[in-house]
Amino acid sequence: MMDDPNLRLWLLAHTQRQFGLDAADQHGVGFASIVAQFFGDQAQPDALVAVRAWTSALFAALDRQDTHFAAGDLARLDLPVTLIFGAIDDYLSPALARHLAGLFPHADLHLVDNASHWPQWDQPAIVARLVKQAASK
């Protein structure tokens, strides 16, 4: 499927719709970030080999993470953790963000208003300020 550019384009548009993006917006995060990974351009090849490697290892990595979650390993971390989520992300929702923050003893959760699954795209100045604050702790 990934070798067929038309199927790749369909998958890209489907994924964008799932995340509430406008697939026709040529100035949006989909075109600026995701299209290059799927199709490449004159400056760089596509990232399909890397995407395939990452996705093939994903479920095993998630199983390892679940083991750490179940063992309470995150609750034993004695360091500050900052979580930055988009307040209007339907995929990684604010409810999930609150749940994840609750797994850490020293978590600061920031739900960025008017930001979706890509808060760094939707509200770059706010996210940059939050990252700088976290790094200075």
Side-chain angles (χ1 to χ4, degrees):
M1 176 171 138
M2 295 306 281
D3 293 330
D4 181 336
N6 291 323
L7 288 175
R8 247 188 276 168
L9 191 58
W10 175 88
L11 179 60
L12 176 62
H14 172 76
T15 303
Q16 287 181 306
R17 285 189 304 274
Q18 292 297 105
F19 287 105
L21 300 175
D22 178 0
D25 180 3
Q26 294 190 6
H27 301 289
V29 68
F31 274 88
S33 177
I34 300 168
V35 168
Q37 294 176 37
F38 274 71
F39 295 99
D41 58 25
Q42 292 81 9
Q44 67 182 25
D46 65 53
L48 293 179
V49 171
V51 170
R52 286 181 181 131
W54 177 79
T55 55
S56 70
L58 179 61
F59 291 108
L62 291 173
D63 287 342
R64 287 190 302 277
Q65 284 181 356
D66 288 346
T67 301
H68 289 291
F69 289 169
D73 291 347
L74 301 179
R76 290 190 285 279
L77 289 176
D78 188 26
L79 51 97
V81 173
T82 299
L83 293 96
I84 303 171
F85 278 68
I88 57 173
D89 186 346
D90 291 331
Y91 185 68
L92 299 177
S93 68
L96 174 63
R98 286 187 283 276
H99 170 74
L100 292 174
L103 298 174
F104 297 94
H106 308 289
D108 290 324
L109 172 60
H110 302 275
L111 296 175
V112 180
D113 289 333
N114 300 311
S116 65
H117 190 67
W118 291 275
Q120 71 277 16
W121 178 268
D122 297 328
Q123 299 292 340
I126 293 171
V127 172
R129 180 180 50 80
L130 293 170
V131 169
K132 286 179 183 178
Q133 283 176 350
S136 69
K137 289 183 179 181

